[in-house]
Amino acid sequence: MIKQKMLHEGKVKSIWTTDDPEICIAEFSDRITAGDGLKKAELPGKGVLLNKISSLLFARLAAAGVPSHFIWAIDDSSMLVKKAQLLPLEVVVRNRTAGSICRRLGLAPNLVIEPPLVEFYWKNDAFHDPLLTREHIAMLNLVSDEQYAEIVKQALAVNQVLTKVFAQAGLDLADFKLEFGLSQGQVLLIDEISPDSCRLWLAGTTQGLDKDRFRNDTGDVLEGYREVLKRLLATEK
């Protein structure tokens, strides 16, 4: 598969076309950002960790019957993915209270949310990715009603699988962010699943192994990501 033209360069990854019009290459960088991109750094080796963790988790989801754009990893920092048109939504699934929901609603951290809460945010840098209601999404014509329902269904299916996968690794999945696209007219899980997009706590604690270490200066970021990968690999034996 030959890398050709860059389609998109995001904060931490790039998407490239290939000689197959239906397949792209997602390439992870060593960049890390927080605070709407205001805080940023380069962490050598981070891209490799994200590619390995995301590849492993997408494969686990596929084995459980949850499809995604992932095809396979082609090198340490890149994966082949199905080409998809990005839907302009960030989808957050919450199992525990943490982060922005605590600030918005005055909630204590680490309260169990049952059933899991699915939130939508508009992917719009100019407006700082605001929280949206279903009515906002319809008013802005961001996705159809059918697509909205399918996104919720898939997000909850992802949550059901990942909570079990991480529990086997001794980790609690407090919350996580997903992105979806349209591939051949169908809603499909895209982007990544990693400690950059998941809030992962050592089981029974709020000790994080995720990007909160960077956001809040609470520990070695790469050490946390390496521990996540090690624990996930151990569950495959």
Side-chain angles (χ1 to χ4, degrees):
M1 196 63 62
I2 300 172
K3 182 193 293 185
Q4 295 185 336
K5 184 178 70 174
M6 184 185 291
L7 274 181
H8 173 73
E9 184 174 22
K11 293 173 183 175
V12 298
K13 78 173 75 62
S14 302
I15 306 296
W16 299 78
T17 62
T18 70
D19 48 331
D20 185 327
E22 297 302 320
I23 295 177
C24 294
I25 293 173
E27 183 178 30
F28 292 84
S29 76
D30 290 336
R31 295 187 298 273
I32 187 168
T33 68
D36 213 9
L38 296 177
K39 185 176 183 179
K40 59 187 72 174
E42 291 275 339
L43 301 177
K46 173 178 173 285
V48 171
L49 288 167
L50 261 58
N51 188 52
K52 289 182 176 179
I53 293 169
S54 289
S55 297
L56 188 156
L57 293 173
F58 280 133
R60 294 282 187 93
L61 286 169
V66 181
S68 74
H69 70 159
F70 175 73
I71 301 173
W72 61 68
I74 55 172
D75 59 36
D76 281 350
S77 59
S78 303
M79 61 173 65
L80 283 185
V81 297
K82 298 173 185 176
K83 187 176 183 180
Q85 176 188 352
L86 175 69
L87 293 172
L89 294 169
E90 290 186 351
V91 183
V92 174
V93 182
R94 298 185 184 276
N95 298 306
R96 307 282 184 92
T97 54
S100 63
I101 196 169
C102 294
R103 295 191 296 273
R104 289 198 316 268
L105 303 180
L107 298 172
N110 199 22
L111 302 177
V112 174
I113 301 173
E114 183 59 45
L117 176 66
V118 180
E119 294 180 334
F120 287 81
Y121 296 79
W122 190 9
K123 281 184 65 68
N124 189 317
D125 289 342
F127 298 107
H128 307 289
D129 302 338
L131 177 67
L132 299 176
T133 65
R134 185 172 186 172
E135 289 75 17
H136 290 143
I137 292 169
M139 180 184 70
L140 295 167
N141 197 30
L142 300 179
V143 297
S144 69
D145 289 344
E146 293 79 10
Q147 290 167 346
Y148 177 93
E150 182 62 23
I151 289 171
V152 172
K153 177 184 174 182
Q154 290 192 33
L156 291 173
V158 171
N159 186 50
Q160 187 173 38
V161 174
L162 291 187
T163 51
K164 294 177 182 177
V165 168
F166 285 120
Q168 290 170 353
L171 300 170
D172 290 333
L173 179 59
D175 59 38
F176 60 100
K177 175 184 73 69
L178 299 174
E179 294 187 9
F180 291 87
L182 290 179
S183 179
Q184 299 182 347
Q186 301 298 312
V187 172
L188 190 67
L189 175 66
I190 62 170
D191 195 41
E192 67 179 86
I193 303 174
S194 76
D196 260 19
S197 58
C198 299
R199 189 170 269 120
L200 297 167
W201 297 338
L202 291 173
T205 78
T206 57
Q207 183 179 339
L209 300 176
D210 52 70
K211 195 164 78 168
D212 272 354
R213 288 187 169 206
F214 179 70
R215 290 188 186 97
N216 305 323
D217 297 312
T218 53
D220 185 317
V221 178
L222 294 184
E223 178 187 57
Y225 289 22
R226 284 191 292 266
E227 180 65 20
V228 171
L229 179 59
K230 183 179 79 171
R231 286 168 173 261
L232 289 172
L233 289 172
T235 66
E236 294 196 319
K237 296 178 181 178

